[in-house]
Amino acid sequence: MGDQAVSRRDCANAIRALSMDAVQKANSGHPGAPMGMADIAEVLWRDFMVHNPGNPNWFNRDRFILSNGHGSMLIYSLLHLTGYDLSIQDLQNFRQLNSKTPGHPEYGYTPGVETTTGPLGQGLANAVGMALAERTLAAQFNREGHVIVDHFTYVFVGDGCLMEGISHEACSLAGTLGLGKLIVIYDDNGISIDGEVDQWFSDNTSQRFDSYGWQVLSADGHDHEEIGEALVQARSDSKRPSIISCKTVIGLGAPNKEGTAATHGAPLGVEEIAETRKKLGWPYPEFVIPEPIKKAWDSTKRGFAAESAWKENLVAYEEEYPELAMELVRRIKGQLPGHFLKKADQFIRECQQSNDTMATRKASQNCLEAYAPLLPEVIGGSADLAGSNLTLWSGSTPISEKADGNYIYYGVREFGMTAISSGIALHGGFIPYSATFLIFMEYARNAARMAALMKQRSILVYTHDSIGQGEDGPTHQPVEQLTALRVTPNMSVWRPCDSVETAVAWKAAIQRSEGPTALVLSRQGLPHQDRTESQLADISKGAYILDDCKGEPDIIIIATGSEVSICREAVKALSQEEYSARLVSMVSTDVFESQDEDYIESVLPSSVVSRVAVEAGASDYWVKYVGLKGAVIGIDNFGESAPGAILMNHFGFTTENVIRVAKSVL
């Protein structure tokens, strides 16, 4: 290339070349989207994106999300070219074991990747959460003359993202909330895996987003000037999120395959790549980027300058608002206030001193009343069930009414809510919670899984936890959902039996920074359980002995949630008949299993093989605790419509049945 000026097309072609080469070397991947969106990416990243490759975690950076994550070589190429710690060798290891360039972008693997994408539409919903977090945090901390939180959230989406139902949920809410710093760029190439989309996707996308209250723009996705003008216009509207519909050709440059599904999910092939190089005027060998193009892309100096300027602004802010600055830094770092643990423990003791019969959903609301005033970073809401999930507390302020608020009315959008909550967590500065009925976590299942995959601190409040929910019938009565949550890696699940265990569970969820926590709560009132000080301390270990006998027990009964009280009565009755029985309250199986072997053995001694597990949920999960010689009182069919107490009796969740089954095991 020599001294020849580097053109925009040269820079875009670098993305195309790296993308097709990496996919070809891996013999796997999607070259079409990166090749089609290369021109858009070049304009956005070289002219608009504010970021620092030298510090991917700089807090005030613009966020970029590739929601159509199958096109992962697009973001890997961008990160490599702009100067992130992603080498050409990393690109050559695309889709290989333990590489920094997995098949879909994964948070935590690759510097500069803001969220894990691949399940279509969820990256877009995460971006809504990020934009919501940015605006709310800005309202809480920015002051006149001191704009400390101020960045955009950019999202690339494809046809698949916009076909997914979650895109409707998230984008509808984004328009209602007026998230003006959210900018979506739609790769309108008319192609999905099955071919030309007009047979299955004929929506008028512009009218759809206009109806949401978005600013709707368009551009030729291969015209750099049009793309730039559209981005300027999108950034200028602070009241509405924007979508820029960009007409593109998928796989642009591949002479025999561009514009077709053949570029979507497979390598182009050696011959087609050779022809593509000729058509693009790219004479360089595979994975070779000429030095002038490298220099044209390098954003390290600009990024360092941007972060340095922000740090200077932060120093000036700190001088005028020292307490606010300290609070902002604490929240950015994800640290809890120093007084939180002491006051949380005090609240737990207060709960233990109470004798109130209480639904654990109400106990959960009491936890919010106690903990949220200590934690201004707590933000959350419910999917149109605030009065049932009891997620509102006295200090709740809807962000729809006040920009610096802390409560989100999500509407009936369980899937969108859960993915938005992950986006808030990924952004930083907040601890998000979201709520719905346990049965409707199924709507949000994949978003909950993605939160676990990314190890994000998101608190999932699930109420109406069993057939005890009552008259609404089997459509609203969860059976298999607890098992689904418990077998999800990185997911912590708590099913408390009273207000005390609920308070411990909430504290654990707030403290836990390496994944989401599901709090599974009852609709019906549950009796308070008396405990000793040592028992109170052991709740945080996930399971503990609530009632015991002298010496080694003949039988161990394990229970959770609403079933603990009937099992406690059963243990008392068995003891009166001179059976040696132990009751274990298993509030969190995953937390219990993380304890040391000595503690686990002290609670569930391996020498005691007579065991019964009792939970109003699927029984199979409990076999690992009771063994083949034990028994499980569970529910393995869908429920019925009747008052909760009648259903519990009908399905065998009674003291009498626990005694009967325990004796049969003995």
Side-chain angles (χ1 to χ4, degrees):
M1 182 167 281
D3 296 330
Q4 178 184 343
V6 175
S7 70
R8 286 190 176 277
R9 185 53 58 90
D10 290 331
C11 290
N13 284 343
I15 296 172
R16 295 185 172 100
L18 289 173
S19 298
M20 66 183 183
D21 288 345
V23 171
Q24 185 65 36
K25 188 174 189 300
N27 196 29
S28 172
H30 301 256
M35 296 174 74
M37 297 194 80
D39 297 308
I40 305 166
E42 185 273 331
V43 174
L44 175 63
W45 278 66
R46 292 184 66 224
D47 293 355
F48 293 92
M49 278 278 292
V50 179
H51 61 113
N52 183 10
N55 181 13
N57 297 318
W58 169 39
F59 190 74
N60 202 45
R61 68 193 181 277
D62 287 340
R63 273 42 170 195
F64 173 79
I65 294 89
L66 184 70
S67 187
N68 45 342
H70 53 269
S72 56
M73 270 309 303
L74 176 60
I75 191 168
Y76 297 151
S77 299
L78 288 164
L79 294 170
H80 169 73
L81 291 166
T82 54
Y84 285 78
D85 182 19
L86 198 67
S87 68
I88 200 71
Q89 289 75 28
D90 291 322
L91 269 57
Q92 290 170 332
N93 283 329
F94 178 54
R95 289 187 162 225
Q96 304 309 301
L97 182 64
N98 297 325
S99 76
K100 292 163 71 173
T101 50
H104 291 83
E106 291 191 39
Y107 177 80
Y109 276 66
T110 316
V113 168
E114 301 284 1
T115 182
T116 299
T117 56
L120 293 176
Q122 285 197 62
L124 174 55
N126 294 160
V128 172
M130 293 177 190
L132 187 157
E134 187 275 341
R135 191 181 69 176
T136 306
L137 204 66
Q140 291 177 357
F141 285 96
N142 289 350
R143 295 294 182 268
E144 186 174 352
H146 297 277
V147 181
I148 300 301
V149 182
D150 179 23
H151 63 78
F152 286 89
T153 301
Y154 298 101
V155 198
F156 280 5
V157 303
D159 293 302
C161 294
L162 298 187
M163 282 187 252
E164 290 285 0
I166 191 173
S167 72
H168 296 261
E169 295 183 22
C171 294
S172 170
L173 185 61
T176 298
L177 295 177
L179 300 178
K181 288 187 177 177
L182 174 64
I183 298 175
V184 174
I185 301 174
Y186 166 36
D187 181 25
D188 184 10
N189 60 34
I191 298 291
S192 66
I193 291 175
D194 281 350
E196 297 179 7
V197 302
D198 54 3
Q199 293 185 60
W200 51 85
F201 185 52
S202 59
D203 302 17
N204 187 319
T205 300
S206 295
Q207 289 183 3
R208 170 187 161 189
F209 277 84
D210 182 65
S211 74
Y212 292 155
W214 287 51
Q215 177 182 210
V216 179
L217 305 168
S218 62
D220 180 337
H222 303 300
D223 186 315
H224 302 93
E225 286 190 13
E226 283 193 23
I227 296 164
E229 289 169 1
L231 282 165
V232 168
Q233 193 171 344
R235 287 161 55 96
S236 67
D237 192 331
S238 62
K239 303 296 184 184
R240 296 179 294 173
S242 297
I243 183 169
I244 305 170
S245 181
C246 291
K247 275 289 182 185
T248 63
V249 176
I250 191 171
L252 183 74
N256 302 302
K257 295 185 177 182
E258 67 177 13
T260 72
T263 68
H264 194 291
L268 295 180
V270 174
E271 293 182 5
E272 184 74 2
I273 286 177
E275 293 299 315
T276 303
R277 278 183 152 78
K278 291 178 184 177
K279 183 172 180 178
L280 294 176
W282 187 265
Y284 315 106
E286 64 178 20
F287 295 108
V288 172
I289 306 296
E291 201 61 34
I293 294 179
K294 286 183 182 179
K295 289 181 179 178
W297 266 109
D298 189 4
S299 299
T300 53
K301 290 182 180 178
R302 188 176 67 179
F304 178 80
E307 182 174 358
S308 297
W310 180 78
K311 285 180 176 177
E312 290 178 9
N313 291 338
L314 185 61
V315 169
Y317 177 73
E318 185 176 7
E319 289 175 355
E320 191 164 350
Y321 301 101
E323 291 184 3
L324 274 177
M326 286 179 62
E327 177 70 0
L328 177 61
V329 170
R330 177 189 72 78
R331 287 172 59 173
I332 288 173
K333 290 181 177 179
Q335 298 172 341
L336 296 177
H339 59 272
F340 171 72
L341 295 181
K342 182 179 179 181
K343 293 194 174 183
D345 288 340
Q346 181 181 335
F347 173 68
I348 291 167
R349 287 190 211 96
E350 290 171 0
C351 291
Q352 184 56 49
Q353 292 164 8
S354 168
N355 290 314
D356 293 342
T357 293
M358 183 184 301
T360 50
R361 62 170 174 161
K362 176 58 181 175
S364 172
Q365 185 179 48
N366 291 347
C367 291
L368 280 168
E369 290 285 356
Y371 296 156
L374 309 174
L375 301 165
E377 59 264 49
V378 167
I379 186 171
S382 168
D384 201 48
L385 291 168
S388 292
N389 299 147
L390 301 184
T391 47
L392 280 166
W393 58 286
S394 59
S396 292
T397 304
I399 62 167
S400 51
E401 297 176 7
K402 198 175 179 189
D404 62 351
N406 59 7
Y407 194 81
I408 305 162
Y409 284 107
Y410 279 107
V412 188
R413 300 182 177 99
E414 295 89 354
F415 194 4
M417 170 184 72
T418 308
I420 288 168
S421 193
S422 287
I424 295 171
L426 286 159
H427 179 275
F430 291 102
I431 298 175
Y433 68 92
S434 57
T436 185
F437 291 170
L438 177 58
I439 191 69
F440 298 134
M441 85 83 173
E442 292 292 351
Y443 280 132
R445 171 74 182 130
N446 201 258
R449 181 181 188 271
M450 294 299 287
L453 184 64
M454 294 187 285
K455 298 182 180 179
Q456 289 304 297
R457 175 166 50 189
S458 183
I459 301 173
L460 310 173
V461 178
Y462 296 131
T463 71
H464 296 58
D465 66 341
S466 73
I467 55 169
Q469 197 275 114
E471 293 89 341
D472 283 334
T475 62
H476 283 54
Q477 293 166 2
V479 173
E480 71 276 26
Q481 283 67 33
L482 268 164
T483 297
L485 288 167
R486 285 180 178 136
V487 300
T488 303
N490 304 327
M491 177 75 72
S492 189
V493 182
W494 292 73
R495 187 174 184 241
C497 74
D498 66 359
S499 62
V500 180
E501 287 188 355
T502 306
V504 174
W506 257 104
K507 178 193 171 190
I510 289 166
Q511 285 184 278
R512 186 170 188 257
S513 59
E514 289 296 304
T517 301
L519 305 178
V520 181
L521 309 167
S522 73
R523 176 195 187 190
Q524 71 272 33
L526 304 182
H528 173 80
Q529 302 297 327
D530 292 328
R531 296 174 183 85
T532 64
E533 279 295 316
S534 62
Q535 288 173 323
L536 186 64
D538 284 344
I539 296 173
S540 63
K541 297 176 182 176
Y544 62 103
I545 301 168
L546 188 56
D547 270 331
D548 208 4
C549 56
K550 292 182 180 180
E552 185 171 275
D554 298 322
I555 188 167
I556 298 174
I557 297 175
I558 306 167
T560 80
S562 53
E563 289 70 72
V564 167
S565 60
I566 63 169
C567 290
R568 198 164 201 184
E569 292 301 315
V571 166
K572 289 177 182 177
L574 288 167
S575 298
Q576 290 171 1
E577 295 184 38
E578 299 186 353
Y579 292 101
S580 295
R582 170 181 292 181
L583 173 62
V584 172
S585 177
M586 183 79 78
V587 62
S588 174
T589 59
D590 59 278
V591 173
F592 176 63
E593 290 172 8
S594 71
Q595 303 304 311
D596 61 64
E597 290 183 12
D598 289 344
Y599 182 75
I600 292 173
E601 181 68 16
S602 72
V603 175
L604 297 177
S606 52
S607 58
V608 181
V609 296
S610 296
R611 301 180 181 186
V612 178
V614 186
E615 182 174 69
S619 62
D620 281 0
Y621 180 83
W622 291 98
V623 173
K624 66 177 180 176
Y625 289 106
V626 302
L628 296 178
K629 294 183 179 180
V632 179
I633 301 174
I635 178 166
D636 294 315
N637 53 280
F638 297 121
E640 298 287 347
S641 179
I646 292 174
L647 289 176
M648 292 300 244
N649 181 72
H650 174 74
F651 286 105
F653 296 100
T654 64
T655 297
E656 294 74 21
N657 192 44
V658 173
I659 294 170
R660 182 188 66 78
V661 172
K663 287 181 177 180
S664 72
V665 168
L666 283 165

